[in-house]
Amino acid sequence: MKNLEQVRAQSAIQFADDVAAGRSAAHGAEGGEAIKKIPPMIMANGLLAALAFALEVDKNGLKRDGYASIFSALAKHLAGEPIAIAHGVTDATSLIRHLTESDSATLKLATAEALEWLGYARRFVKPPEKKS
């Protein structure tokens, strides 16, 4: 049986592999490192506010694809075994719906686990190449 640190690291490595292969985004439109900006955002404003920021839309759709992609990977982590804080969640949109319908203890657990997972993910995701 794996411990929680192993589960978190494995999930974060999978996300980093997806980013490297182009299957997921972790960077802003101008090459910013969204993954490094999310933990302070959660600590300052809370997980729900950070999710709302990531899911903000305009007439063209999502304004921040990188942020939404990171939160979708986090959602899958929170739904997976053995974490299982957010049963049935598949992406960032279903995560925010789940958390708003859950009790405050679930939100607190999800917030703590999100920060733990992001601690790994931000170290494994390769920074974008600088444009010259």
Side-chain angles (χ1 to χ4, degrees):
M1 185 161 92
K2 293 181 180 179
N3 67 32
L4 289 177
E5 294 299 316
Q6 290 172 303
V7 172
R8 290 174 187 134
Q10 184 178 27
S11 173
I13 288 169
Q14 179 60 53
F15 175 63
D17 289 347
D18 288 347
V19 170
R23 293 185 298 265
S24 189
H27 309 297
E30 282 100 42
E33 295 182 74
I35 193 106
K36 291 188 176 182
K37 296 176 183 176
I38 293 174
M41 188 184 306
I42 291 172
M43 289 187 283
N45 303 303
L47 182 56
L48 292 176
L51 272 161
F53 176 81
L55 294 171
E56 186 177 354
V57 295
D58 62 14
K59 63 182 178 183
N60 299 319
L62 283 173
K63 290 176 74 173
R64 299 173 191 92
D65 288 335
Y67 285 88
S69 177
I70 294 162
F71 276 108
S72 288
L74 173 64
K76 290 173 188 165
H77 171 72
L78 293 174
E81 294 295 331
I83 306 300
I85 294 171
H87 300 285
V89 167
T90 58
D91 59 15
T93 302
S94 60
L95 177 60
I96 197 167
R97 288 182 191 279
H98 175 80
L99 293 175
T100 58
E101 295 168 358
S102 298
D103 59 16
S104 62
T106 301
L107 177 58
K108 188 175 181 178
L109 280 172
T111 301
E113 185 61 31
L115 291 170
E116 293 289 339
W117 182 83
L118 285 161
Y120 284 103
R122 66 187 302 258
R123 287 169 176 81
F124 294 140
V125 171
K126 186 177 179 181
E129 292 185 23
K130 301 287 183 192
K131 295 179 182 177
S132 31

